[in-house]
Amino acid sequence: MKKIRYWLLALSLVLGLSGCYKEGTLHASLENEKVYSEYDLPQGNHDYDKDILEMFKKYNTLFLYKYNPRDIYYNTDEYVGGTYFPDKDSTAAGLFDVPSDEAWVGKQIKLLQELWLDYYPNEFLRQGLPLRVFLVDSLYSAKNGIGSPVKLLNNNYLVRRGVDYILVTYGSSRIDEMTKADKYEFKRMLHRVFLDHLDIPVTPEFAAIGNYAIFSNVNNKPYIYRYGFINWNNSSTPQRDWFSYIDAIVDHSYEEWISDGPSGFLHPSKDTQGKIREKYNLIIEYFKTNYQIDLQKISNDLSSYGE
């Protein structure tokens, strides 16, 4: 997986981007052999700080509710943060974060464990989680214009990933107001972002099933299911096709996959040649055999959504 690569990148950013990162002592964990810039644990003296420390020991990842915004807004050398100018009541487009309310971080951690982390073996998480998981209340983007960022709201994020981090939301009293639909949407985004972050390479067996030449002619679009593809816009290469299946599996329950509905990719009306079933089975078996992960269980399991 990518932790070693991210470690090297994070270290180079700390040492090389002096305009973006504070100079100072790097904190290394001898046990885990990793450099984490200025962050140390525990960040406070709440009961949940002990849980976060245990999570670091278990997963080798920092779950941070105190952070420097530059670590969210710098994507390598690109700054993606927005700016509000109170004197002019104007906004420069970009991202805006609202930090977690510390009174609610304990519940936020429990929710992440329940909806996300519990679905994967500890060793898989240790190898696959990014260096840092930022815990925030909300993250949104705003457009350029006159007015505050909230008035110029462009997009709300539930989960977002950067070069060496994943950012998760709901660190406030909003967590007690989550509906069943809210939990479903948050859960599917947690898994999609995490699995995309892992960048697991497509297998030769999967790649051999599809004829990717069909994407050179838009007239083939109505027939994508016949060729074993489920997403015209995201399947033009074997790797993109692989990701489109993984995303769809954690997005849709098996009942949806076999239904005669828009997500019924395994229904005979769509999978007329059996190629979708062949690809689906390959991915399910690959994750079970190599990682001991039941990928379909993520979307099948409704018990954690609440009422």
Side-chain angles (χ1 to χ4, degrees):
M1 304 203 191
K2 302 197 290 185
K3 266 198 172 167
I4 293 177
R5 189 193 320 168
Y6 284 152
W7 177 86
L8 293 172
L9 178 57
L11 180 58
S12 67
L13 286 171
V14 170
L15 297 177
L17 295 179
S18 59
C20 308
Y21 287 80
K22 291 180 181 177
E23 296 180 359
T25 303
L26 297 178
H27 304 294
S29 167
L30 296 178
E31 177 186 356
N32 296 291
E33 298 181 353
K34 189 181 295 179
V35 176
Y36 281 103
S37 185
E38 75 241 44
Y39 296 112
D40 273 336
L41 295 179
Q43 292 190 298
N45 58 1
H46 310 280
D47 288 342
Y48 59 72
D49 281 295
K50 290 177 285 188
D51 297 330
I52 291 175
L53 187 57
E54 286 303 311
M55 291 168 75
F56 171 70
K57 292 176 181 177
K58 185 188 296 185
Y59 305 133
N60 207 17
T61 291
L62 289 166
F63 288 76
L64 300 166
Y65 58 89
K66 296 178 182 178
Y67 54 88
N68 193 316
R70 63 151 190 263
D71 290 335
I72 294 173
Y73 297 147
Y74 269 103
N75 189 5
T76 62
D77 60 347
E78 179 189 11
Y79 184 77
V80 295
T83 305
Y84 176 59
F85 303 97
D87 54 329
K88 299 179 181 178
D89 188 29
S90 65
T91 297
L95 293 175
F96 295 84
D97 70 294
V98 178
S100 283
D101 182 332
E102 292 183 30
W104 295 90
V105 169
K107 279 200 170 184
Q108 188 179 21
I109 286 291
K110 288 179 181 177
L111 187 70
L112 294 178
Q113 197 78 54
E114 181 183 4
L115 297 186
W116 176 21
L117 303 176
D118 283 351
Y119 285 90
Y120 302 94
N122 287 344
E123 186 55 31
F124 184 85
L125 292 171
R126 186 172 179 82
Q127 297 297 321
L129 283 172
L131 298 178
R132 296 169 293 186
V133 174
F134 291 118
L135 309 172
V136 307
D137 174 35
S138 57
L139 180 76
Y140 62 95
S141 64
K143 298 174 283 189
N144 281 314
I146 300 299
S148 69
V150 172
K151 289 182 179 178
L152 296 165
L153 183 68
N154 185 46
N155 187 36
N156 265 316
Y157 294 86
L158 294 176
V159 185
R160 187 177 185 272
R161 67 184 176 100
V163 173
D164 64 347
Y165 72 83
I166 289 176
L167 176 147
V168 298
T169 57
Y170 276 109
S172 71
S173 59
R174 296 191 304 125
I175 201 168
D176 275 354
E177 301 167 3
M178 293 178 79
T179 65
K180 185 174 181 177
D182 292 334
K183 285 190 175 183
Y184 174 83
E185 184 65 14
F186 189 44
K187 181 179 181 179
R188 63 184 284 272
M189 289 306 300
L190 282 167
H191 291 279
R192 286 188 63 175
V193 170
F194 175 53
L195 291 166
D196 287 351
H197 145 82
L198 294 177
D199 202 21
I200 296 173
V202 61
T203 66
E205 295 80 7
F206 182 95
I209 297 172
N211 175 12
Y212 296 91
I214 73 161
F215 293 96
S216 62
N217 186 345
V218 73
N219 292 327
N220 288 318
K221 187 174 181 179
Y223 308 108
I224 61 166
Y225 300 132
R226 177 188 305 174
Y227 290 102
F229 300 104
I230 60 175
N231 187 326
W232 178 265
N233 296 322
N234 244 350
S235 303
S236 58
T237 67
Q239 190 67 57
R240 294 182 70 184
D241 187 22
W242 172 261
F243 286 152
S244 74
Y245 267 79
I246 292 174
D247 283 351
I249 290 170
V250 299
D251 263 1
H252 305 292
S253 68
Y254 187 72
E255 286 187 1
E256 291 178 89
W257 273 84
I258 62 175
S259 70
D260 187 13
S263 303
F265 305 116
L266 293 177
H267 192 272
S269 63
K270 288 186 172 68
D271 191 20
T272 57
Q273 306 300 310
K275 292 181 181 291
I276 296 177
R277 168 64 73 177
E278 191 175 355
K279 287 182 176 180
Y280 172 90
N281 287 346
L282 274 173
I283 288 185
I284 294 296
E285 189 58 34
Y286 177 84
F287 273 84
K288 285 183 177 179
T289 301
N290 291 278
Y291 304 122
Q292 294 73 57
I293 295 169
D294 185 345
L295 205 61
Q296 187 63 76
K297 178 177 170 60
I298 293 169
S299 56
N300 282 353
D301 188 1
L302 303 179
S303 63
S304 58
Y305 296 162
E307 294 299 331

